[in-house]
Amino acid sequence: MALRAYLRLRARVLGRQLAELGWLRLLLLTPLVLGAIGKTLLTLAQEPAAHWLLPPMLGLVAWSGHRRRADLALLPLVAPQFRRWLAAEYLLLAGPVLAALLAFGHWPAALLTLAATPLVAWLPAARARSARLLRRRSWFRSAAFEWVGGFRLVPGGAVWVVLLALSSWQHRQPMVPVLAVGAWTLLVGTLFGTPEPPGMLLLTGRSPGQLLLRRLQWAGGYYLLTATPLVVIMAEGAAGRAGAALFWVWGCVLIGLLVLAKYAFYPQATLIRLTQGGVTALVLLAGTQTVYSALLLAAALGLVLKSRHQLASYRFD
């Protein structure tokens, strides 16, 4: 009974968050997000070896969301058995992955997903920054705060080393370097889902246009710096130099649009992440049909205008 009430409450909260997005945006984003998720699941589930990527990918997504939950400090006070509720919630979210794996007869991977996903509920939340860390201010930390703060929560350096080693070891496999670059791009994209305090806007620029330009330069520069070794390994494999360069451009476009989506709905974190999910789905689908490419161009123009208009309400003088 308590679990049912908790799940009902979570559904109401999600419904209100989606309502804040607006019915028109929701109508446009829902097919894109569902189409991208479905295509990714089917593509990986039907491969003999790639389907093993689904359990760890689902675990990383659940872990990332679990660490950022704002109610982890409240739940132990009102419900000592709240971990079981979270486990049931994460297991329900794993339903599409389980369905895709079982549809193609991958029973071992499905059992791994069924057993591992609920365990995320027992992982600790992200730790608050200590006073010692707050005193260690610098110009670099202020300018590249997404990377500094994001990789403090997620071991980005270790993930990058693992992806680089895996790509080097399996560079002759056609999909491994591609998946490594794609995974790193999506991981970098998650760094731009949390809005910074309004006071930090003054540290970046003196106008909305200057702020957006500098944020895009920092995001693109760090992405190119970290993704270049992975792309070079990809170019030496089956993808070739042309395919690697095209994938490189794809990653830069995605990171740039995620930055624009962040400031288009600043400082509403829920709207930012929902819009970024739709943008990611649109970029993933852009290469499949021409209509998605046209929608991507329209979305990019809309995000540029919306972000400038949103930031214009803040004073930079």
Side-chain angles (χ1 to χ4, degrees):
M1 193 67 179
L3 175 60
R4 185 182 305 175
Y6 168 76
L7 294 177
R8 189 183 302 116
L9 177 62
R10 290 292 295 171
R12 290 179 180 177
V13 172
L14 180 60
R16 291 183 180 180
Q17 291 175 342
L18 293 177
E20 293 179 0
L21 187 62
W23 68 269
L24 180 58
R25 298 190 186 98
L26 191 61
L27 184 64
L28 294 175
L29 293 177
T30 300
L32 296 176
V33 174
L34 294 180
I37 294 176
K39 187 176 183 61
T40 302
L41 290 179
L42 292 178
T43 301
L44 295 178
Q46 64 186 358
E47 294 292 334
H51 73 274
W52 284 105
L53 294 174
L54 288 176
M57 288 175 59
L58 177 63
L60 289 175
V61 172
W63 176 59
S64 176
H66 174 77
R67 287 171 58 88
R68 299 180 180 183
R69 290 184 66 124
D71 56 356
L72 284 182
L74 175 65
L75 286 175
L77 302 178
V78 299
Q81 305 296 328
F82 76 99
R83 301 285 183 182
R84 300 178 183 177
W85 300 355
L86 299 184
E89 179 183 352
Y90 298 154
L91 192 58
L92 288 177
L93 295 178
V97 177
L98 289 172
L101 291 173
L102 293 176
F104 289 92
H106 302 307
W107 287 90
L111 292 176
L112 177 61
T113 302
L114 186 64
T117 304
L119 298 179
V120 176
W122 279 267
L123 295 177
R127 294 179 300 176
R129 292 181 298 176
S130 62
R132 181 178 59 87
L133 292 176
L134 290 174
R135 287 194 298 266
R136 292 167 55 185
R137 303 279 181 158
S138 67
W139 174 82
F140 173 78
R141 290 176 178 271
S142 300
F145 58 88
E146 293 102 346
W147 294 79
V148 175
F151 284 158
R152 187 178 294 150
L153 300 177
V154 180
V159 173
W160 184 82
V161 171
V162 170
L163 291 176
L164 185 64
L166 186 61
S167 298
S168 302
W169 178 39
Q170 298 289 337
H171 68 279
R172 297 187 181 276
Q173 298 293 331
M175 289 299 297
V176 173
V178 176
L179 292 175
V181 177
W184 180 250
T185 304
L186 295 178
L187 177 62
V188 171
T190 61
L191 303 180
F192 304 98
T194 303
E196 67 270 22
M200 295 188 65
L201 297 178
L202 302 178
L203 302 176
T204 307
R206 296 186 176 275
S207 66
Q210 188 181 33
L211 184 147
L212 289 174
L213 180 60
R214 290 186 177 179
R215 298 319 308 160
L216 289 172
Q217 289 175 344
W218 274 101
Y222 265 96
Y223 173 73
L224 292 178
L225 181 64
T226 56
T228 297
L230 298 172
V231 174
V232 170
I233 296 175
M234 180 180 172
E236 299 298 328
R241 296 182 178 180
L246 184 61
F247 214 75
W248 206 4
V249 173
W250 169 85
C252 293
V253 170
L254 176 59
I255 297 301
L257 290 178
L258 292 179
V259 173
L260 292 175
K262 173 184 176 180
Y263 292 105
F265 295 94
Y266 181 88
Q268 301 294 330
T270 301
L271 299 182
I272 289 173
R273 290 166 185 167
L274 289 174
T275 306
Q276 288 178 338
V279 168
T280 303
L282 190 58
V283 174
L284 291 173
L285 295 172
T288 59
Q289 295 183 7
T290 309
V291 63
Y292 293 119
S293 301
L295 289 175
L296 179 62
L297 182 60
L301 179 60
L303 288 176
V304 171
L305 297 177
K306 181 68 170 64
S307 58
R308 290 178 63 92
H309 180 267
Q310 186 72 11
L311 292 175
S313 59
Y314 295 88
R315 295 186 59 180
F316 292 88
D317 51 356

